[in-house]
Amino acid sequence: MARGEFNSRIGTFAAVAGSVVGLGNLWRFPYLAGENGGFAFLLVYVCVSLLVSLPVMLSEFSIGRSQQCNAMRAFRRIAPGPWYLIGFLGVVTAYVIDSFYMVVGGWSLEFLRASIMDEFSGKSSEEIKSYFDAFLAGGTGPVLQALTSLGIATVVVFFGVSKGIERFNKLLMPSLFVLLLILVYNSLFCLPKSSEGIEFLFKPDFEKIEFHTVLTAMGQSFFSLSLGMGAMLTYGSYIRPDRNLTKTALGIVGFDSMVAILSGMVIFPAVFSFGIEPTQGPTLLFNTMPNIFQQMTGGHAFSILFFLLVYFAAVTSQVSLLEVVVAFASEEFRIARWKVTLGVGLTMALTGTMCALSQAEGGLFVINGTPLFDLFDSMSSNYMLPIGGFFIVLFAGWIMPSRVLRSQLTNNVDEKRPIYYIVLRFLMRYVSPAFVAIMFLNLVGFI
Ligand code: PHE
């Protein structure tokens, strides 16, 4: 069966960027930065992204591209024994994440719809909050929107790697960036207290940097860069042999941080200008932003642009999660890709519906008091991603033949071992696994 690949360099970058840029950048990063020392957190974030996450990303790219197959088979081909289980864990993780991520994708669609219909007009912050609570409690709305979001992602994956995924991202990522720049411009130059917001984001407060902050930055960087679950491995397997993986990964890490910072520059000036508590957490995006737009000149248009941006970010990440599972199932069970896409889409529709309903009234799919949605969320970020990431980087550094790793990282252009390769390999063998292990032990409460 012919495998797809990303045709152009721009398309490759757009597809990978589509996966990494998501709600992690738009919502979680600004909020964490705000709480953990602003610019100081940013510095820590960039350092851990380069020292810990970049090696993991390159490990995934190298494993995927050298084997040109899905996550599980790639491990099996490189090494005998139980290593393939890491790949399998990745596929399961992608499935689990997508099941609740599609629900959040659905929320952004709902807010986009409500913005277009101007339904927030004249509503206070409290009223918007009760609107959202009622929407969640109702059950039907969240399920329908989540299914719509999944449906769109499924259609994209259905059309294949280059005609579907690459083309979709080539359209959406530049649009996302333009939307983001328009919103940044508005926040910086058209809002009364933009400087306070910028100060909140950029003023370094080094006293807030502690051991715990470093771990927070690391967890965030991992999630934001879609690491530890085979998304980068699967996308890596579609990158053509002549593309430079090291440059691509560096570009992606830079782009991901840039989008996160820009999104902080959209949110905080708005938050300060309208007298809202900046460290609000999860509710910031869905409760506070619509209210802020109410008070802003041209707010109706900006709220549509904003939720369009959020949706673009969410759906392109969803596509990558779905692709991990589809690539696995179609190659392992030798079933035509389009059939598998439909099958996986339908199964995901079921688990996604369960996640959406777990937050509704009636207590369906609540396990020991924890809604399935939250369970999937914490299970994946606290356990599955760090475990996956740890073994992936360990595998690339110690198990995968160094000849293969080197040819992937250097594209065989240098005769001798170039210095950047030596540095990267050192990071892969020692630094990155050590940090990821500490992060995991901390997450599970050992340290
Ligand atoms: N990176 C995405 C974000 O920042 C989330 C994601 C995680 C997507 C894992 C794919 C795989 O929101």
Side-chain angles (χ1 to χ4, degrees), residues 88-106:
F88 185 67
L89 174 72
V91 176
V92 176
T93 311
Y95 188 93
V96 167
I97 296 186
D98 206 7
S99 299
F100 72 85
Y101 208 89
M102 67 181 259
V103 177
V104 188

Side-chain angles (χ1 to χ4, degrees), residues 62-383:
S62 307
I63 296 169
R65 190 173 69 171
S66 65
Q67 305 307 315
Q68 308 269 311
C69 55
N70 71 78
M72 186 175 98
R73 186 173 295 189
F75 283 96
R76 206 170 46 205
R77 277 203 186 152
I78 298 176
W83 289 103
Y84 72 93
L85 289 174
I86 311 168
F88 185 67
L89 174 72
V91 176
V92 176
T93 311
Y95 188 93
V96 167
I97 296 186
D98 206 7
S99 299
F100 72 85
Y101 208 89
M102 67 181 259
V103 177
V104 188
W107 297 350
S108 31
L109 271 185
E110 168 64 15
F111 276 75
L112 178 61
R113 185 200 63 75
S115 300
I116 294 173
M117 315 283 268
D118 209 6
E119 280 178 17
F120 296 128
S121 170
K123 286 206 165 91
S124 69
S125 184
E126 277 310 303
E127 281 167 332
I128 293 173
K129 186 176 176 315
S130 12
Y131 163 86
F132 188 40
D133 289 344
F135 169 74
L136 291 184
T140 326
V143 170
L144 288 180
Q145 294 291 24
L147 292 179
T148 312
S149 186
L150 171 70
I152 297 173
T154 311
V155 170
V156 174
V157 173
F158 183 89
F159 281 104
V161 175
S162 112
K163 290 218 175 74
I165 301 176
E166 181 175 359
R167 228 182 341 166
F168 186 65
N169 280 298
K170 246 162 80 175
L171 189 73
L172 256 66
M173 288 321 281
S175 320
L176 177 144
F177 200 62
V178 171
L179 287 176
L180 192 60
L181 291 183
I182 296 174
L183 289 161
V184 170
Y185 179 86
N186 175 56
S187 277
L188 285 188
F189 300 111
C190 308
L191 295 183
K193 290 194 184 152
S194 64
S195 54
E196 279 181 37
I198 295 300
E199 197 183 311
F200 179 74
L201 183 64
F202 287 114
K203 205 175 100 195
D205 184 353
F206 287 103
E207 277 171 17
K208 286 230 175 95
I209 299 299
E210 301 161 6
F211 178 61
H212 165 77
T213 323
V214 179
L215 294 178
T216 308
M218 214 147 65
Q220 167 63 12
S221 167
F222 239 62
F223 184 79
S224 188
L225 289 167
S226 309
L227 296 174
M229 37 71 67
M232 291 299 107
L233 195 155
T234 308
Y235 273 16
S237 75
Y238 304 136
I239 300 180
R240 283 189 6 195
D242 53 334
R243 307 252 181 266
N244 186 319
L245 291 185
T246 308
K247 272 193 202 151
T248 308
L250 271 172
I252 289 293
V253 170
F255 187 71
D256 187 64
S257 308
M258 181 166 73
V259 172
I261 296 165
L262 287 175
S263 134
M265 291 166 67
V266 172
I267 292 177
F268 288 117
V271 162
F272 277 87
S273 296
F274 298 103
I276 284 158
E277 205 34 63
T279 47
Q280 276 212 15
T283 51
L284 191 66
L285 201 67
F286 291 107
N287 288 343
T288 314
M289 289 312 282
N291 176 252
I292 288 177
F293 290 125
Q294 284 312 304
Q295 307 173 41
M296 202 184 267
T297 336
H300 182 205
F302 284 121
S303 97
I304 297 176
L305 295 184
F306 182 75
F307 285 108
L308 200 61
L309 168 81
V310 176
Y311 186 64
F312 282 2
V315 73
T316 46
S317 296
Q318 245 178 285
V319 164
S320 72
L321 291 160
L322 201 58
E323 177 60 25
V324 173
V325 187
V326 168
F328 162 79
S330 72
E331 286 170 16
E332 292 306 312
F333 306 127
R334 293 175 182 279
I335 308 175
R337 207 189 131 92
W338 69 270
K339 286 189 198 157
V340 169
T341 310
L342 292 182
V344 174
L346 284 176
T347 327
M348 198 88 86
L350 212 68
T351 32
T353 301
M354 286 159 62
C355 281
L357 286 180
S358 72
Q359 293 173 319
E361 248 163 30
L364 280 174
F365 310 111
V366 177
I367 298 150
N368 288 336
T370 314
L372 192 66
F373 179 102
D374 300 73
L375 192 70
F376 274 10
D377 181 7
S378 61
M379 220 166 79
S380 52
S381 10
N382 294 354
Y383 297 92

Side-chain angles (χ1 to χ4, degrees), residues 13-27:
F13 194 83
V16 180
S19 174
V20 304
V21 170
L23 297 162
N25 308 62
L26 297 185
W27 155 68

